[in-house]
Amino acid sequence: MVSSASKANHRENRLLAALAPEDLACLEPHLEIVRLSKGAILYEAGDTIHSTYFPHNTFVTLLNIMEEGQFVEVASFGREGLFGLISAIVSREAFGRYKVQIAGTASRIPLDRMQEAMQARPTIRRLILGYSEALLAQTFQAVSCNAFHTVEARCCNWIMSTRDRIDTDLLPLTHADLAELMGVQRSTISTLLRTFQVQGLITQQRGGIIIADRPGLEEMSCECYGKIRRTYERLLPMTSSQD
């Protein structure tokens, strides 16, 4: 479900926050703030993309759905970026299913207006190209991570990267959510999270996970978490999470 929302600011998204005032002024008349509900499907594969979204505190994943119904996460989007633009440059068709994993707000703009702004404002275009490169690098690293690294390290990566994107130590994710996103059995996630809790890395509550030891989780993560974070810092300096 998508609904209108007013108690938010466009600059809660770090790409919009990185824009010069005159560039944001070009977009702002066409931006609206919407609230995205957990579980909402914004696009299915093949749907025509009409809008570009700039997440604030929401978290959206792009899932590739196979013919027999299996699915896997291929990209994710938080306040560091946008979705509904890069894959719509030519065909305007969604690559896969865009699903809201964590409810929150986002700034939304019609795709046509976004493309017009990119053509009119070279600085907006450069910022989007920088984000596109960072997203491609993230996807490249994730493929390698899934092939070579342990499920423990991958789980730590996922917890840490999600925390960076919503900027809070309370992650409203269930065991089932994590299992779905990581493509593993729910029982595997339950075992991992119990272990992390015993080690003092997290605490658990109904419907969520609280990060208790961020440095400890980062130490248990594989190289991929740091590489991806440094890529975003290099290409989009204002979009990196700060302590």
Side-chain angles (χ1 to χ4, degrees):
M1 178 179 178
V2 179
S3 60
S4 61
S6 58
K7 293 183 179 180
N9 187 301
H10 297 309
R11 288 190 180 273
E12 291 181 37
N13 175 273
R14 287 181 163 173
L15 281 185
L16 294 179
L19 292 174
E22 59 271 23
D23 289 328
L24 182 60
C26 179
L27 297 176
E28 201 157 19
H30 311 292
L31 288 167
E32 63 172 334
I33 294 173
V34 295
R35 184 171 301 279
L36 307 181
S37 300
K38 181 174 180 177
I41 306 300
L42 303 177
Y43 296 110
E44 290 283 7
D47 284 353
T48 300
I49 293 178
H50 298 288
S51 300
T52 297
Y53 292 79
F54 295 84
H56 302 163
N57 54 358
T58 186
F59 186 64
V60 176
T61 54
L62 172 59
L63 306 172
N64 187 27
I65 313 298
M66 307 303 287
E67 289 183 357
E68 295 183 358
Q70 307 100 319
F71 56 87
V72 64
E73 178 200 330
V74 293
S76 55
F77 312 94
R79 63 180 182 151
E80 80 292 341
L82 58 83
F83 63 91
L85 175 66
I86 298 167
S87 63
I89 292 175
V90 177
S91 70
R92 296 200 172 201
E93 288 188 1
F95 284 166
R97 175 181 295 166
Y98 289 79
K99 181 178 179 180
V100 180
Q101 299 292 348
I102 295 177
T105 58
S107 296
R108 181 173 67 184
I109 185 172
L111 177 61
D112 289 342
R113 302 287 82 78
M114 187 66 208
Q115 291 177 329
E116 288 171 2
M118 288 178 64
Q119 292 175 356
R121 309 290 302 187
T123 47
I124 293 178
R125 184 166 61 251
R126 283 196 296 270
L127 186 67
I128 300 303
L129 289 174
Y131 171 69
S132 301
E133 183 174 333
L135 183 62
L136 180 60
Q138 174 188 326
T139 304
F140 176 84
Q141 194 67 38
V143 170
S144 304
C145 185
N146 290 339
F148 296 118
H149 295 151
T150 67
V151 67
E152 292 87 352
R154 290 170 50 211
C155 188
C156 289
N157 292 353
W158 221 100
I159 291 172
M160 291 297 296
S161 63
T162 303
R163 190 261 174 237
D164 289 346
R165 280 158 165 170
I166 64 174
D167 198 27
T168 174
D169 289 333
L170 172 58
L171 312 182
L173 294 169
T174 65
H175 294 200
D177 292 333
L178 279 171
E180 174 183 303
L181 292 167
M182 292 182 59
V184 299
Q185 296 294 320
R186 180 175 175 174
S187 58
T188 300
I189 293 298
S190 296
T191 299
L192 280 176
L193 295 183
R194 281 196 299 270
T195 300
F196 293 164
Q197 181 160 295
V198 169
Q199 294 172 329
L201 301 174
I202 66 168
T203 58
Q204 299 184 73
Q205 63 180 37
R206 179 179 290 275
I209 300 165
I210 301 173
I211 296 175
D213 181 1
R214 184 176 176 181
L217 277 172
E218 187 165 357
E219 186 175 343
M220 287 187 63
S221 301
C222 62
E223 64 191 78
C224 301
Y225 169 70
K227 281 187 175 180
I228 292 170
R229 182 168 174 169
R230 288 191 295 273
T231 296
Y232 276 92
E233 290 172 348
R234 176 172 55 85
L235 293 170
L236 301 164
M238 291 187 65
T239 71
S240 60
S241 175
Q242 300 296 326
D243 293 338

